[in-house]
């Protein structure tokens, strides 16, 4: 890295190479500071580059590499860990405009896309071919495929249909110095050399810039979905019931859990009658040819576990039931700022994890509305607060929460990534040896440290 | 690495640390030179260490690291690329005796195992829990889970149930200097840091020694399987029919293709009446609750594609049909030595790949009996020869074959790995930039180059 970066010169070079794609308007610079986590970089980036092609990305990285200027790659800015926030002296490299679908192969069940395409837009196009890309983060209407790949996104359907790393065959990546490499393969199988495609997934812009992706597709699931919900006296009972569904061997497509606070908040937000005090809810959706019989079996398990079950008579009524779960995010936003945690535990540990959350609420004097992807053991405890800064008590409670998840065999982040908001705990989970190994791998890809510095590994 | 390795001293240190676990009998040293590829290292290793515990592995690597002695990790020695063959001056580190099942969790659908357990033995034990581990290499009766992980093994069921990299949650790995690290997580989701678990899968002993694995399990598929075969006038017709099945949207559990030479060889071997000259065969198995209706649909597709279809009336009769396919390996062994290739192409390219094989047979004056996992596009062309050395004409033809696969969007190896037999083509597929990147990653894990040197990357 050059000892002193001449920002004016870097900006001049970018403008010369990329012309109008270099954006230094106040609006663009401010937008690039933040994502959906509520966290923002303290300063503004040098410029936003709106790349429209692989060669735009390469040109940007060549200039950045030669000058030692940090580059923060962004898609739609919907991240929840601050991983794509660009600050002082950094280039925000947006690939949002690279949103093409280059190829759809129904016979080979694959699509080749640019990184900036929005997940839902891709799936709308694939629908015409009878296909879909399974990863379904809650942000799917607004998040990009490239961002899904950069964070290793999950979603609601993961227990049945997998996460991003199960759904990517190959990646085209621009390296820190501007070289383009092609990782992975188009075939179902392939073990030629190390699996750098998998290494790139979830690397949060620290190893390279994804400029193309070959995605593994599924055929649309035939038949109508069947949706039900079940109300329980408390969240532990709901979590035990969810574990019972998993243990029964029936695999729901979706199984979402809302604790009492979440459920009450959403009912207020949607102006629905209040649920019984303390009540928690599971929402379950089955799909495929056996959707109805599976829903009946799950209904029996849930009733046996003490739940009051309502089965939707139609897919439309089912959407109404799911709407309660889907309103969690806007309902929580009404309460102020929120630090959304993302711990994930083995499914059998879900009841114990809710016990830990209750303990932490009590110990730190907080209320922590929590939803969980109960089918896969991924929880999103929401720490709400007023003001711009996360209070210390919330950091302390979040730290306690994370250590509890780790004790239960879990992990710090199931699907949001590390970014800046979780980097202080990374080494605790990885152990120092692995933490150092991972940084040495970063150095192989990015010897001068220009790719998203300060993210993931800084502590 | 020390300039001069004192072999006597290394052997003394190993014996002092590991006692009777250090084996220098002729039989052990000779066995460690070879795998099932037919290829053997030119010399004998220094010793075989039969590790019985993680600390045995650590002790071995500490001595190897300090003295700069190469270490070749082995399981059951069933590899097909020479990756586990140990030669002069090397320590053969066998983890075959580490064959315990440490934990089976039906509720979390996971098992924790030692690397030396044989795939079929693990699945026999899991069967009692109503569970299975999906990767099913043809070697499953004799190959270890650790070897399956080291090669990134595939198998017959991959198109429907995935490959090894879809079925491993976490790995315990001893690094080159003897340190133990824990990679991955026990939860369904987890994106904490880089995915080093995936990096380790298929790394063929070049990055570390897998000493424990947390495997992602499935519940046993209910219902009886349904098996059928279909005979076609020639291999291209069979390949077109296989592509038609995939394109129909029905997902068979198994779909295997045998070309005319393979089919005739096996019929001779099994003393069955000869098939019609030039005839090729598909063998298809469906499973799950819809096995029979799916088999009927597939039967219709195959008949429409010109096949003569026979549907097994019972699972036992189905096993008889599959026995033909399963006898390919012993039938080929009767023909002499064999270089088994392992190219994989997008499924739609299967007919074109068979055209290429016909061209290569013609051009080089060879007969290349070929079977294919037609459901996933993975082909095993067999180059048979007499004597111990692969003739030049076969290397030339294999090289042509690989380049053809690459032109069709395919890859050098679908499930066997690179080892020594495919290392000369690795850079052709990866490109020089990625080839160098991968070697730098190896150097991060193995700075002194003691882990399986000469494998994968040498050319």
């Amino acid at each position: 890295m050059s000892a002193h970066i001449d920002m004016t010169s870097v900006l001049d070079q970018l403008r010369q190479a990329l012309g109008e794609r270099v954006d230094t308007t106040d609006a663009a610079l401010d937008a690039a500071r933040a994502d959906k986590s509520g966290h923002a970089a303290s300063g503004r980036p040098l410029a936003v580059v709106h790349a429209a092609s692989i060669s735009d990305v390469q040109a940007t990285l060549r200039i950045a590499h030669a000058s030692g200027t940090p580059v923060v790659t962004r898609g739609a800015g919907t991240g929840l860990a601050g991983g794509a926030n660009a600050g002082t002296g950094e280039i925000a490299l947006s690939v949002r405009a690279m949103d093409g679908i280059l190829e759809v192969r129904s016979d080979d069940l694959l699509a080749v896309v640019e990184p900036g395409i929005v997940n839902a837009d891709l799936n709308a196009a694939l629908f015409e071919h009878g296909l879909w890309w399974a990863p379904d983060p809650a942000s799917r209407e607004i998040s990009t495929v490239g961002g899904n790949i950069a964070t290793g996104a999950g979603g609601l359907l993961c227990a049945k249909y997998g996460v991003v790393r199960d759904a990517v065959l190959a990646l085209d990546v621009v390296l820190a110095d501007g070289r383009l490499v092609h990782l992975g393969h188009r075939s179902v199988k392939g073990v030629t050399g190390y699996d750098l495609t998998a290494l790139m997934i979830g690397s949060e812009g620290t190893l390279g810039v994804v400029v193309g992706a070959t995605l593994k597709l599924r055929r649309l699931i035939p038949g109508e979905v069947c949706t039900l919900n079940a109300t329980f006296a408390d969240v532990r009972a709901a979590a035990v019931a969810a574990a019972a569904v998993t243990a029964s061997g029936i695999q729901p497509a979706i199984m979402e859990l809302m604790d009492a606070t979440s459920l009450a908040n959403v009912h207020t937000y949607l102006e629905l009658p209040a649920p019984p005090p303390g009540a928690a809810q599971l929402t379950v959706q089955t799909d495929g040819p056996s959707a109805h019989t599976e829903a009946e079996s799950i209904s029996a398990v849930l009733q046996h576990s003490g739940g009051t079950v309502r089965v939707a008579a139609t897919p439309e009524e089912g959407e109404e039931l799911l709407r309660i779960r889907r309103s969690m995010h806007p309902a929580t936003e009404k309460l102020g700022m929120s630090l959304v945690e993302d711990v994930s535990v083995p499914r059998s540990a879900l009841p114990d994890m809710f016990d830990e959350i209750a303990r932490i609420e009590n110990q730190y004097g907080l209320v922590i509305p929590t939803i969980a992807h109960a089918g896969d053991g991924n929880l999103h405890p929401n720490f709400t607060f007023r003001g711009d800064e996360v209070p210390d008590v919330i950091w302390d409670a979040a730290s306690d929460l994370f250590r509890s998840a780790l004790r239960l065999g879990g992990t710090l982040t199931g699907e949001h990534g590390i970014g800046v908001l979780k980097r202080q705990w990374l080494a605790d989970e990885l152990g120092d040896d692995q933490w150092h190994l991972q940084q040495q791998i970063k150095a192989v890809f990015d010897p001068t440290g220009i790719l998203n510095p300060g993210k993931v590994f800084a502590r």
Side-chain angles (χ1 to χ4, degrees), chain A residues 73-91:
Chain A
T73 308
R74 288 177 69 86
T78 62
L80 291 169
N85 295 354
T88 308
E90 299 182 324
I91 300 168

Side-chain angles (χ1 to χ4, degrees), chain A residues 376-392:
Chain A
D376 63 47
N378 183 201
L379 300 97
H380 296 308
N382 285 260
F383 293 90
T384 54
F385 57 95
R386 296 281 169 190
D388 282 343
E389 290 295 317
V390 179
D392 284 347

Side-chain angles (χ1 to χ4, degrees), chain A residues 27 32 56 61 77 111 139 170 228 232 244 251 270 320 346 351 413 426:
Chain A
D56 286 352
L61 282 163
S139 60
L228 58 91
F232 295 85
Q251 179 64 65
L270 294 176
E320 278 302 301
T413 172
L426 181 64

Side-chain angles (χ1 to χ4, degrees), chain A residues 224-229 254 283-287 291-292 295 309-323:
Chain A
E224 283 188 344
V225 299
C226 189
T227 309
L228 58 91
N229 70 16
I254 292 173
T283 310
V284 178
Q285 188 168 84
T286 56
D287 64 1
H292 282 272
V309 177
R310 176 180 163 198
V311 182
T314 62
E316 293 69 32
E317 191 187 333
E319 270 309 297
E320 278 302 301
L321 299 186
L322 263 176
R323 182 168 157 248

Side-chain angles (χ1 to χ4, degrees), chain A residues 39 114 147 159 171-172 179 205 250-251 319 323 325 385 403 432 451:
Chain A
H39 176 86
E114 291 186 318
L171 293 173
D172 302 320
R179 284 176 297 159
I250 310 156
Q251 179 64 65
E319 270 309 297
R323 182 168 157 248
R325 163 62 184 87
F385 57 95
R403 285 173 221 282
D432 278 345
L451 294 178

